[in-house]
């Protein structure tokens, strides 16, 4: 056997052993949980690749705001929009009965705010009104789908905005992604294959400032670990079912290397605290795996 062939076999055996160790740890975390748990991990520099249920099409909820923001920034890159352009906020687009820091900030008066503020609030604070304002600006969910399709993103579908998801619990399942798709699109983003360098740097900074879901992916990681992330959550329906408790992100390791991770907890009858703890525990297990 040639040396290159032997080396390949040795690397494959080592990778399999690593995956087995991580898989056992993750299995112990999700054992007996009444939920569908999907996990994908992709090492950027060492090509480490792991997934559990990574091809299942599961509801994204607000994770899709990353994809929406990227599509909007593609318009910026093409000169069709500007981060400085003013967006009108008023009662017609600041709906009540939904999560919206923008509405809470500007509820007493009509306002003109820069597009950059809408993106910041939509991604870092997961503002639902901001999300739908961005979608309206670029022509709806079909524009996001076309953009992702054009970039070779598979296992992803977006059909409905936040307002529609609030009206009908079931439509969230039409906005789906696989966790494998999520880590792959994060790698494309990191590599500058989605957006210009300027827009990539900008969105990365916004994601690094995400303030939602502090009890999920970052909870057990060392303080001040850089994690560019986007959360998503459905809450529970009248039957006590959680459609989605999700998070995706790019983690920077102490050695300067990176990995993408996507964690989806779907169709769960566990408590919100348990769902979030599953994400937190798996995130810590993956971190430990990369820092052995």
């Amino acid at each position: 056997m040639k040396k290159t062939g032997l080396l390949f076999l040795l690397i494959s055996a080592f990778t399999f052993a690593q995956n087995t160790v991580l898989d056992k740890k993750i299995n112990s975390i999700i054992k007996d949980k009444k939920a569908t748990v999907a996990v994908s991990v992709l090492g950027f520099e060492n090509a480490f690749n792991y997934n559990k249920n990574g091809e299942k099409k599961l509801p994204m909820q607000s994770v899709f705001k990353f994809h929406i923001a990227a599509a909007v920034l593609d318009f910026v890159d093409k000169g069709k929009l500007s981060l400085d352009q003013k967006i009108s906020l008023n009662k017609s687009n600041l709906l009540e009965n939904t999560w919206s820091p923008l509405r809470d900030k500007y509820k007493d008066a009509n306002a003109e705010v820069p597009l950059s503020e809408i993106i910041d609030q939509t991604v870092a604070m997961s503002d639902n009104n901001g999300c739908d304002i961005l979608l309206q600006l670029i022509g709806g969910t079909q524009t996001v789908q076309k953009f992702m399709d054009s970039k070779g993103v598979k296992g992803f579908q977006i059909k409905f905005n936040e307002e529609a998801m609030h009206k009908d619990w079931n439509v969230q399942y039409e906005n789906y992604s696989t966790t494998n798709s999520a880590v792959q699109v994060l790698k494309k983003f990191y590599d500058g294959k989605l957006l210009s360098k300027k827009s990539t740097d900008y969105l990365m900074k916004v994601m690094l400032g995400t303030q939602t879901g502090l009890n999920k992916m970052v909870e057990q990681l060392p303080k001040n670990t850089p994690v560019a992330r986007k959360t998503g959550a459905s809450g529970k329906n009248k039957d006590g079912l959680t459609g989605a408790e999700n998070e995706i992100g790019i983690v920077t390791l102490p050695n300067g290397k990176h990995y993408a991770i996507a964690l989806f907890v779907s169709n769960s009858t566990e408590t919100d605290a348990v769902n979030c703890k599953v994400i937190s525990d798996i995130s810590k297990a993956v971190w430990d795996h990369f820092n052995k």
Side-chain angles (χ1 to χ4, degrees), residues 55 57 153-157 176-178 181-182:
E55 289 299 324
K57 296 174 179 177
V153 177
K154 308 295 185 184
F156 167 85
Q157 177 176 284
Y176 65 71
S177 176
T178 67
S181 173

Side-chain angles (χ1 to χ4, degrees), residues 205-237:
K205 183 178 180 181
V206 173
M207 293 173 71
L208 285 166
T210 291
Q211 298 177 49
T212 56
L214 297 177
N215 62 337
K216 296 197 278 189
M217 185 182 292
V218 298
E219 181 181 47
Q220 298 183 61
L221 303 189
K223 190 176 181 181
N224 298 322
T225 297
V227 185
R229 59 195 183 89
K230 184 70 202 82
T231 60
S234 66
K236 287 190 176 293
N237 68 6

Side-chain angles (χ1 to χ4, degrees), residues 45-59:
E45 290 82 12
N46 66 0
F48 175 83
N49 202 333
Y50 168 86
N51 83 85
K52 177 175 290 295
N53 294 324
E55 289 299 324
K56 282 186 176 292
K57 296 174 179 177
L58 301 175

Side-chain angles (χ1 to χ4, degrees), residues 29-264:
I29 294 168
I30 66 176
K31 182 182 178 183
D32 299 328
K33 297 297 187 297
K34 299 177 182 67
T36 297
V37 179
V39 185
S40 294
V41 183
L42 181 63
F44 287 1
E45 290 82 12
N46 66 0
F48 175 83
N49 202 333
Y50 168 86
N51 83 85
K52 177 175 290 295
N53 294 324
E55 289 299 324
K56 282 186 176 292
K57 296 174 179 177
L58 301 175
M60 289 180 285
Q61 280 290 334
S62 289
V63 161
F64 75 169
K65 290 169 184 169
F66 162 76
H67 304 77
I68 292 167
V72 171
L73 288 168
D74 179 58
F75 271 59
V76 173
D77 287 342
K78 292 174 178 175
K80 297 178 180 179
L81 294 173
S82 166
L83 290 176
D84 297 327
Q85 75 180 74
K86 299 300 184 181
I87 306 297
S88 297
L89 299 181
N90 50 60
K91 288 187 177 180
S92 70
N93 58 16
L94 293 180
L95 304 181
E96 298 293 336
N97 301 317
T98 191
W99 170 253
S100 181
L102 275 171
R103 181 201 58 237
D104 296 342
K105 183 177 179 180
Y106 296 108
K107 61 183 176 182
D108 296 326
N110 292 343
E112 298 281 325
V113 304
L115 175 60
S116 59
E117 183 173 352
I118 306 294
I119 296 173
D120 292 354
Q121 292 286 344
T122 298
V123 177
M125 291 298 296
S126 207
D127 193 292
N128 292 334
N129 284 323
C131 171
D132 287 358
I133 289 167
L134 293 179
L135 285 171
Q136 186 174 27
L137 198 60
I138 62 174
T141 55
Q142 62 268 32
T143 303
V144 183
Q145 187 71 58
K146 287 177 182 177
F147 174 62
M148 289 295 153
D149 290 347
S150 75
K151 297 298 180 178
V153 177
K154 308 295 185 184
F156 167 85
Q157 177 176 284
I158 180 170
K159 287 189 173 183
F160 295 96
N161 66 4
E162 284 285 356
E163 184 180 7
M165 286 199 293
H166 277 68
K167 290 179 177 177
D168 184 346
W169 171 269
N170 291 318
V171 303
Q172 68 177 302
Y173 294 94
E174 295 297 314
N175 292 338
Y176 65 71
S177 176
T178 67
T179 54
N180 283 351
S181 173
V183 295
Q184 291 292 340
V185 76
L186 288 174
K187 180 66 162 60
K188 287 177 184 286
F189 168 62
Y190 177 84
D191 288 341
K193 294 179 179 179
L194 287 186
L195 301 166
S196 69
K197 185 179 188 309
K198 183 177 181 180
S199 288
T200 299
D201 291 346
Y202 165 68
L203 184 52
M204 189 74 74
K205 183 178 180 181
V206 173
M207 293 173 71
L208 285 166
T210 291
Q211 298 177 49
T212 56
L214 297 177
N215 62 337
K216 296 197 278 189
M217 185 182 292
V218 298
E219 181 181 47
Q220 298 183 61
L221 303 189
K223 190 176 181 181
N224 298 322
T225 297
V227 185
R229 59 195 183 89
K230 184 70 202 82
T231 60
S234 66
K236 287 190 176 293
N237 68 6
K238 59 182 176 57
D239 298 317
L241 183 72
T242 298
E245 190 72 65
N246 301 338
E247 190 157 15
I248 67 172
I250 298 171
V251 181
T252 301
L253 293 159
N255 62 9
K257 295 183 178 181
H258 310 80
Y259 63 88
I261 180 170
L263 299 156
F264 287 10

